[in-house]
Amino acid sequence: MALGDKIENAGQQAAGKIKEGVGKATDDKSLEAEGHGDQAGANVKQAGEKAKDAAGKLLD
């Protein structure tokens, strides 16, 4: 996984956690759900990158 992708995914996950926390604190269910979605999206991207890395190692 490229370092830039790792940083981008970590940033998206962190932003999602912040949104989730603000949503909980303000009782904004929509913002809380958006935060969950951002975190899930980052996790999916990370899994895809790890799969590409594993496939690349198998081909080497």
Side-chain angles (χ1 to χ4, degrees), residues 9 27 37-38 43-45 47-48 55:
N9 293 339
D27 200 32
D38 289 350
N43 289 337
V44 168
K45 287 180 185 178

Side-chain angles (χ1 to χ4, degrees), residues 6-27:
K6 285 183 180 180
I7 293 170
E8 182 180 331
N9 293 339
Q12 183 179 357
Q13 191 165 26
K17 286 183 181 187
I18 291 169
K19 283 182 186 179
E20 179 185 359
V22 171
K24 283 182 181 179
T26 60
D27 200 32

Side-chain angles (χ1 to χ4, degrees), residues 17-55:
K17 286 183 181 187
I18 291 169
K19 283 182 186 179
E20 179 185 359
V22 171
K24 283 182 181 179
T26 60
D27 200 32
D28 184 341
K29 298 297 181 190
S30 177
L31 186 59
E32 187 177 344
E34 187 176 335
H36 278 291
D38 289 350
Q39 291 177 66
N43 289 337
V44 168
K45 287 180 185 178
Q46 287 174 346
E49 291 294 328
K50 287 180 182 179
K52 284 196 293 187
D53 287 347

